[in-house]
Amino acid sequence: MIYKIYQICVLAPVVVIVSAWAGTTMAVMCSISRHPDWWSTFASRWWARIILAAALIPVEVKGREHIVRDESYIYAANHQGAFDIFLVCGYLNVPFRWMMKRALEKVPFLGWGCKHAGYVFVDNSNPGESRRTYREAEQILLSGMSLMMFPEGSRTRTGNLMPFRKGAFALADEMHIPVVPMTINGSYAILPKGEKIKFIKRHKLTLTIHKPIYLDNSDALREECYRCILSDLKE
């Protein structure tokens, strides 16, 4: 009960204030600065870290040594819940751009900031939009920037790993970009998808960064990424 009161009186105001700051900072500075990627990384990282700290959520990250900082990757993680985003933004500690659902563009402040930061809004409503999404992602990788995506496409309702979509793996195959699988544990316990009352539960978040996968076949790449993420996923 005390933690629920804390969420209403402390956490909720913090989320609103920090989200407004982060979204505005990203939108303004990414529009006028010569270093927009630095500003988007800075704002999103501290937005996420402040919210996790305010939520009193402990975090553990394993496997950072597998990442070469200046190399371009496609990062792929399982999607247990909303707190996956805070964990990756706050603690992956490398510059990247998100591939995210088109609906998130409408989120106050943050949608505005993400749009100016050059994030890819995924729209699979028709073949034309799918091709646009694919080409935007391709241009980001060609520029040397990394991409972050959830290959399941949406949050799991059961905590179990869902099948992976093919798009990002086809892109990795075409451009010969390695995929870095990442396993997220704990987010489902904090806030499962479908909860009617949006109170969270305190639970440790763990991000496990696996070794990059270099394969020239998109189906084999997708299967190996799935196996790798599943190997460290807790029940």
Side-chain angles (χ1 to χ4, degrees):
M1 178 58 71
I2 294 176
Y3 189 48
K4 288 183 178 180
I5 296 172
Y6 174 83
Q7 290 178 53
I8 295 170
C9 298
V10 178
L11 180 57
V14 168
V15 170
V16 172
I17 293 169
V18 175
S19 297
W21 165 80
T24 303
T25 299
M26 290 170 67
V28 173
M29 297 310 299
C30 288
S31 298
I32 65 174
S33 174
R34 295 181 180 179
H35 306 286
D37 292 325
W38 186 91
W39 280 104
S40 64
T41 301
F42 168 79
S44 62
R45 178 180 298 169
W46 286 105
W47 165 75
R49 288 192 175 196
I50 291 169
I51 289 174
L52 286 175
L56 310 178
I57 301 294
V59 172
E60 180 183 9
V61 181
K62 299 180 287 185
R64 280 207 188 100
E65 67 275 9
H66 296 144
I67 298 174
V68 178
R69 186 167 184 84
D70 295 328
E71 186 165 349
S72 180
Y73 298 110
I74 294 178
Y75 294 96
N78 59 307
H79 200 5
Q80 288 197 331
F83 276 73
D84 300 338
I85 297 170
F86 302 128
L87 178 60
V88 173
C89 280
Y91 290 93
L92 185 55
N93 282 5
V94 293
F96 64 87
R97 293 184 189 171
W98 281 98
M99 294 184 70
M100 54 176 53
K101 288 184 176 180
R102 171 67 70 181
L104 295 176
E105 190 176 6
K106 299 178 181 178
V107 175
F109 295 107
L110 291 176
W112 183 44
C114 291
K115 183 176 181 179
H116 283 80
Y119 292 177
V120 180
F121 291 98
V122 179
D123 187 346
N124 294 318
S125 59
N126 61 70
E129 285 298 323
S130 296
R131 285 192 295 271
R132 177 200 58 78
T133 298
Y134 192 91
R135 295 309 169 197
E136 283 185 16
E138 187 178 51
Q139 290 303 310
I140 289 171
L141 293 171
L142 284 171
S143 74
M145 179 60 67
S146 295
L147 281 172
M148 171 65 208
M149 55 96 174
F150 296 121
E152 293 166 281
S154 64
R155 291 170 290 163
T156 175
R157 288 187 176 274
T158 64
N160 297 321
L161 193 62
M162 299 188 296
F164 286 176
R165 297 182 177 182
K166 298 180 180 180
F169 300 102
L171 181 63
D173 180 19
E174 178 184 329
M175 300 191 65
H176 307 289
I177 298 289
V179 174
V180 177
M182 302 193 300
T183 304
I184 293 172
N185 282 297
S187 182
Y188 184 78
I190 294 173
L191 185 65
K193 183 178 181 179
E195 286 284 319
K196 293 181 179 180
I197 301 176
K198 299 297 182 180
F199 285 110
I200 65 174
K201 298 177 182 178
R202 286 193 66 207
H203 195 283
K204 182 179 180 179
L205 279 172
T206 303
L207 177 66
T208 303
I209 304 167
H210 302 281
K211 293 180 180 179
I213 301 174
Y214 299 83
L215 289 173
D216 289 331
N217 180 283
S218 61
D219 289 335
L221 183 59
R222 179 163 53 101
E223 291 171 7
E224 180 61 17
C225 186
Y226 188 97
R227 183 203 64 77
C228 197
I229 291 173
L230 185 62
S231 69
D232 203 62
L233 191 62
K234 304 294 187 296
E235 293 186 2

